[in-house]
Amino acid sequence: MHSLVRTKAENFDRAKMLPRIFAAAIDLLIVFVGCLLLTGCCYVLLKMGVLKADSVAYILLLLCWLWINFYYIFMISVKTQTVGQKFWGIFLVRTNSMKFFAGRAFFYVLFMFLFGFFTPLHIKISPSKRSWQEILTGTKMVKTKLTDNAKIR
């Protein structure tokens, strides 16, 4: 999978909007289930007296924030694709063909939280057909394509 990261962005077709939306929906479902599990754990710890009612909301908020960031940053920077992106055959590539690191993935996620809702509108009106988070982080969402491994090396 690492060979995907080292290829040039222009060698890949731009990802269409529906796969992006469906991939985001799968990823949001995974994140939501993780936050539900964390909520259950905090509830159990609250009932056991380990956590106090004054602090449980802050702890839960912190745990959910860490989980969401870990999921997206780890999957994008280490695994190349999130689960939703893998299922729908898309991935994020840097426009200068360099490898992703956690810092760029963090800023992509941060901008995704800020501007993600407007992605369909921005892609439709933008001449580059890229979302704000892609433009600000120098990335491009593309479709995966099958190639012969011998040609990649």
Side-chain angles (χ1 to χ4, degrees):
M1 191 56 121
H2 293 289
S3 59
L4 285 176
V5 178
R6 289 188 216 122
T7 58
K8 295 185 188 279
E10 58 268 7
N11 292 343
F12 288 89
D13 295 330
R14 188 178 329 280
K16 303 270 190 245
M17 185 50 58
L18 277 179
R20 287 176 180 225
I21 292 171
F22 291 140
I26 290 172
D27 292 331
L28 287 173
L29 180 65
I30 291 169
V31 164
F32 179 73
V33 168
C35 288
L36 277 179
L37 290 172
L38 289 171
T39 302
C41 290
C42 284
Y43 178 76
V44 168
L45 292 173
L46 178 66
K47 287 298 181 185
M48 290 174 53
V50 175
L51 295 177
K52 304 228 186 285
D54 297 346
S55 62
V56 71
Y58 298 112
I59 292 171
L60 179 59
L61 183 64
L62 176 66
L63 290 174
C64 286
W65 177 250
L66 290 172
W67 158 242
I68 292 166
N69 277 298
F70 172 77
Y71 173 75
Y72 282 107
I73 293 169
F74 175 78
M75 294 304 286
I76 291 171
S77 64
V78 176
K79 296 293 189 180
T80 306
Q81 296 168 296
T82 64
V83 174
Q85 290 171 350
K86 188 172 184 104
F87 184 82
W88 285 98
I90 60 176
F91 72 105
L92 201 60
V93 63
R94 287 181 61 180
T95 54
N96 64 0
S97 304
M98 305 227 13
K99 184 174 178 3
F100 256 94
F101 292 105
R104 185 169 307 269
F106 171 77
F107 282 107
Y108 180 84
V109 171
L110 180 67
F111 294 136
M112 182 181 66
F113 288 140
L114 294 172
F115 307 122
F117 185 74
F118 302 106
T119 296
L121 174 66
H122 191 259
I123 288 175
K124 192 153 193 94
I125 63 173
S126 169
S128 68
K129 302 295 183 205
R130 291 168 49 210
S131 65
W132 284 324
Q133 59 267 24
E134 292 171 43
I135 292 169
L136 291 170
T137 58
T139 59
K140 179 179 167 184
M141 187 69 70
V142 296
K143 294 190 302 186
T144 56
K145 62 181 177 180
L146 299 175
T147 61
D148 184 11
N149 281 340
K151 292 179 184 177
I152 294 174
R153 296 177 195 172

